[in-house]
Amino acid sequence: MNQILDYNPNKSSGGGSSGSDKIVRVFAIILAIFAICLLAGGAYGIYKNKHNSNIPTQATSKAQITIEQKETTAVIKVTHDKVIEKLIYNWDSEKETTIKGNGESIMESEIPLFAGDHVLNIKVIDIDKNETTFEQAISSETGEDKIYPVIKLEVTDERKLKIIATDETAIDFVTYRWNDEEEQKVEETDEEGKQIEFEIEILKGNNDLTIVAVDKSNNTTTESKNFSGVTKPDVKITISADKTKADVYCFHENGLKEIKVKINDGAEQYVGFPEDDPNPREARFSFDLPQGNADVTVTASSVDETETVATEIVENQGNEDIINISIEKAEDNEKQVIIATDCEAGIKEIRLNVNDVDYPIKLPVENPKNASLPFDLVEGNNKITVTVVSANGTEKQEVKELSY
């Protein structure tokens, strides 16, 4: 044990110290060479990356797309420097249609045109999944009809429903149906054949309306809508047998708001309602008619803001024989008297008597509707009697005394 612990590095051990130094030197040289190699490799990598970054990347090639428009079709032509995998197209950004390639770099496909103005969108995908897009506006008058009819609904001032169906090419017919009732068909179009327009009554209460519009290419548009129908007031005008009186009856299920009466060109007269019932469901009233023909108008409005205007023309034939006679002094001549008369049926005869003396009167034409004649007064009192006979034989006499 003492021999083991007695260690002295300076103690001579023969040729062992020289050999260890050589091994250390060789190992150090190898490490230095390895380090130099690593540095050289890193520097080369940096140089290569910097060099490669200056080289421009080659752009992906695009397909060449053209469209040849014919009368009712369009031919899509595609050329590429790569194999075409597929062609995709759609009209106006709607449903797409895909056409597979044939393993070549040239492709041609004919598709149908649509009538009107549309945009054709095309996308070509090559074998490397590169895409080329293209779009073109195309207008055609003879292509297929791809646009569906348009339905428009309007409630009129008369509380009716106006149905308007239009198509950019040609409308064929329109059908409508309330609830589950029988379907009604309308085929009458405008002069261009592109529009059908008509009005229908809105049913009372809540009802479902289904409208179907079909164009000449059998494109169909269907619209369903619920309507809550309101009604107009009922107005009935009854004229008496002698045509001197009118009886009126008005009714509305939800209540009347206002009633107005107008005769000929006179002012409108309002019909009053009871204070304890300002919106009655029904109203009855009567009024006298004027002499001669009468144009009677009754306007009734409801609390639902609906309105009914009823008119009645009263032709009183007897009033045609009404004779009007006027006997007045002339404004510019105190001695002269002007006799004026008129009758709708026509004047057959005029007889003039002054102070019991008859004077013959000759009419300018046969049965005139009016006549005017002057004559001079005598001194003193003048009793003037004018008798007029109508064409129907009705006679009227007017007497007046004037002094001069």
Side-chain angles (χ1 to χ4, degrees), residues 28-46:
I29 293 169
I30 292 173
L31 288 176
I33 295 171
F34 182 71
I36 292 170
C37 291
L38 289 176
L39 291 172
Y44 178 75
I46 293 173

Side-chain angles (χ1 to χ4, degrees), residues 241-243 291-294 313-322 343-345 390 392 394:
D242 59 3
K243 299 182 181 181
Q291 291 184 345
N293 295 342
I313 298 176
V314 182
E315 295 182 352
N316 194 337
Q317 300 296 331
N319 290 339
E320 291 184 355
D321 282 338
I322 294 177
C343 178
E344 187 66 25
S390 74
N392 294 327
T394 303

Side-chain angles (χ1 to χ4, degrees), residues 24 84 101 109-110 144 164 172 202 251 309 320 333 361 397:
V24 172
I84 301 170
S109 180
E110 188 169 6
E144 297 179 7
I164 306 171
D172 193 7
I202 300 176
F251 172 83
V309 179
E320 291 184 355
N333 188 345
I361 302 296
Q397 188 175 83

Side-chain angles (χ1 to χ4, degrees), residues 84-145:
I84 301 170
E85 182 179 291
K86 58 185 173 181
L87 180 152
I88 303 171
Y89 75 91
N90 65 49
W91 289 98
D92 303 322
S93 301
E94 295 182 358
K95 184 179 179 181
E96 292 184 338
T97 300
T98 301
I99 303 173
K100 291 184 178 181
N102 53 9
E104 299 179 358
S105 60
I106 298 176
M107 187 174 181
E108 187 174 301
S109 180
E110 188 169 6
I111 62 173
L113 287 178
F114 292 108
D117 298 325
H118 304 282
V119 176
L120 177 60
N121 303 290
I122 300 171
K123 180 167 58 178
V124 173
I125 302 176
D126 63 29
I127 196 170
D128 293 334
K129 308 302 180 184
N130 297 317
E131 294 184 2
T132 303
T133 58
F134 180 83
E135 74 173 33
Q136 181 172 317
I138 296 179
S139 179
S140 175
E141 296 182 356
T142 57
E144 297 179 7
D145 181 6

Side-chain angles (χ1 to χ4, degrees), residues 186-357:
V186 181
E187 298 179 285
E188 185 176 353
T189 69
D190 62 1
E191 292 182 358
E192 296 181 353
K194 295 182 178 182
Q195 179 172 296
I196 293 177
E197 178 179 331
F198 58 97
E199 293 182 1
I200 61 175
E201 296 285 348
I202 300 176
L203 301 183
K204 298 180 181 180
N206 290 317
N207 298 277
D208 293 323
L209 177 66
T210 302
I211 304 168
V212 179
V214 182
D215 65 18
K216 292 293 185 179
S217 297
N218 208 35
N219 295 317
T220 302
T221 298
T222 301
E223 183 167 340
S224 297
K225 194 171 183 180
N226 179 267
F227 285 89
S228 180
V230 292
T231 60
K232 292 183 177 182
D234 294 327
V235 179
K236 183 179 180 181
I237 304 173
T238 303
I239 306 299
S240 63
D242 59 3
K243 299 182 181 181
T244 61
K245 185 178 180 181
D247 294 314
V248 180
Y249 172 74
C250 301
F251 172 83
H252 190 271
E253 56 191 4
N254 294 328
L256 296 165
K257 180 181 178 181
E258 185 180 79
I259 300 175
K260 297 180 291 185
V261 177
K262 183 178 181 180
I263 302 175
N264 297 327
D265 295 327
E268 288 183 328
Q269 303 293 324
Y270 288 84
V271 177
F273 295 147
E275 292 184 0
D276 58 348
D277 190 10
N279 299 114
R281 295 183 63 195
E282 63 179 4
R284 297 178 185 272
F285 58 94
S286 60
F287 53 88
D288 294 331
L289 296 174
Q291 291 184 345
N293 295 342
D295 189 351
V296 179
T297 302
V298 178
T299 304
S301 60
S302 73
V303 294
D304 293 337
E305 302 299 332
T306 57
E307 183 180 85
T308 298
V309 179
T311 59
E312 188 76 24
I313 298 176
V314 182
E315 295 182 352
N316 194 337
Q317 300 296 331
N319 290 339
E320 291 184 355
D321 282 338
I322 294 177
I323 300 171
N324 297 307
I325 302 174
S326 171
I327 305 172
E328 302 291 342
K329 280 188 176 183
E331 294 182 357
D332 56 349
N333 188 345
E334 187 179 354
K335 184 179 181 180
Q336 191 176 64
V337 172
I338 303 298
I339 298 174
T341 181
D342 64 81
C343 178
E344 187 66 25
I347 301 170
K348 180 181 179 180
E349 181 184 2
I350 299 177
R351 297 193 295 269
L352 175 61
N353 181 282
V354 180
N355 296 332
D356 297 327
V357 178

